[in-house]
């Protein structure tokens, strides 16, 4: 698609500016502490669940941008879908089934966004949402959902305290 845009002079892809921010959310989700310290399952599902958690935080932060929020969220969601499509294809899932898998992933993202939005204001609600989503309702003995909730709320607070242009330029602050 980018090839055709450049070929016909349509202009630069507006998602390009958001790639570093999206990548920082994925990098945050891949930090070993989620799996080693908080007991998030280090599985394909567990990693997807962490990406959706940190990505949801990006969408929540984008909502603060007022009139631009819809466009920003749409562009970030396109990056998420493109990334997930690449991951699904790497697993060897063929064209016929890719759309079905992506539909399920986007649906899961939507449900989690609602739960995490509520959870940013209520630690207990976030902890319960994480138990449902990260541990599929069955946290093992190494699971620390309350601590994981605190860590996600801290990331959210750092993003809320950072200007949008700084987030785009530098990604999620440490």
């Amino acid at each position: 698609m980018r090839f055709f845009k450049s070929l016909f002079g349509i202009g630069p892809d507006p998602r390009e500016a958001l790639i570093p921010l999206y990548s920082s959310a994925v990098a945050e989700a891949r930090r070993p502490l989620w799996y080693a310290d908080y007991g998030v399952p280090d599985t394909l599902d567990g990693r997807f669940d962490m990406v959706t958690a940190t990505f949801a935080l990006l969408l929540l932060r984008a909502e603060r941008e007022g009139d631009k929020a819809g466009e920003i969220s749409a562009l970030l969601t396109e990056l998420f879908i493109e990334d997930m499509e690449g991951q699904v294809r790497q697993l060897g899932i063929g064209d016929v089934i890719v759309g079905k898998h992506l539909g399920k992933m986007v649906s899961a993202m939507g449900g989690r966004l609602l739960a995490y939005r509520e959870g940013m204001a209520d630690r207990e609600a976030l902890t319960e949402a994480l138990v449902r989503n990260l541990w599929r309702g069955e946290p093992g003995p190494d699971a620390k959902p309350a601590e994981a909730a605190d860590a996600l709320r801290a990331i959210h607070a750092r993003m809320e305290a950072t200007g949008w242009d700084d987030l785009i330029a530098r990604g999620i602050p440490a």
Side-chain angles (χ1 to χ4, degrees):
M1 188 66 160
R2 290 182 207 169
F3 169 75
F4 290 112
K5 285 183 179 183
S6 64
L7 182 66
F8 296 110
I10 295 174
D13 185 342
R15 298 177 303 174
E16 293 291 324
L18 298 172
I19 290 173
L21 178 58
Y22 176 77
S23 296
S24 75
V26 172
E28 181 64 48
R30 290 184 176 161
R31 289 181 57 206
L33 72 93
W34 297 109
Y35 312 96
D37 297 352
Y38 302 134
V40 173
D42 193 4
T43 62
L44 189 61
D45 286 341
R47 289 178 177 265
F48 170 76
D49 294 333
M50 276 309 307
V51 169
T52 60
T54 57
F55 179 65
L57 297 180
L58 279 185
L59 294 180
L60 293 174
R61 175 58 182 86
E63 288 176 354
R64 271 198 34 218
E65 294 307 303
D67 293 339
K68 298 188 299 185
E71 179 183 354
I72 292 167
S73 294
L75 294 172
L76 285 168
T77 301
E78 287 176 13
L79 290 173
F80 173 77
I81 292 169
E82 188 175 280
D83 183 23
M84 293 303 110
E85 179 180 5
Q87 300 300 319
V88 167
R89 289 186 185 282
Q90 271 189 338
L91 293 173
I93 295 174
D95 289 340
V96 176
I97 302 174
V98 167
K100 186 175 183 176
H101 280 280
L102 291 175
K104 287 180 181 179
M105 291 173 154
V106 171
S107 177
M109 180 62 237
R112 289 169 187 172
L113 178 61
L114 292 172
Y116 298 155
R117 181 182 292 119
E118 293 172 9
M120 288 304 118
D122 179 352
R123 181 181 189 240
E124 186 63 31
L126 181 59
T127 300
E128 290 172 12
L130 293 179
V131 167
R132 280 191 314 273
N133 296 313
L134 296 181
W135 290 279
R136 308 295 165 107
E138 298 178 22
D142 296 331
K144 297 179 183 166
E147 289 86 345
D150 290 342
L152 282 173
R153 291 179 76 207
I155 294 166
H156 181 255
R158 289 194 312 264
M159 288 196 307
E160 287 291 312
T162 305
W164 184 249
D165 291 337
D166 286 340
L167 274 176
I168 290 173
R170 296 181 184 88
I172 297 173

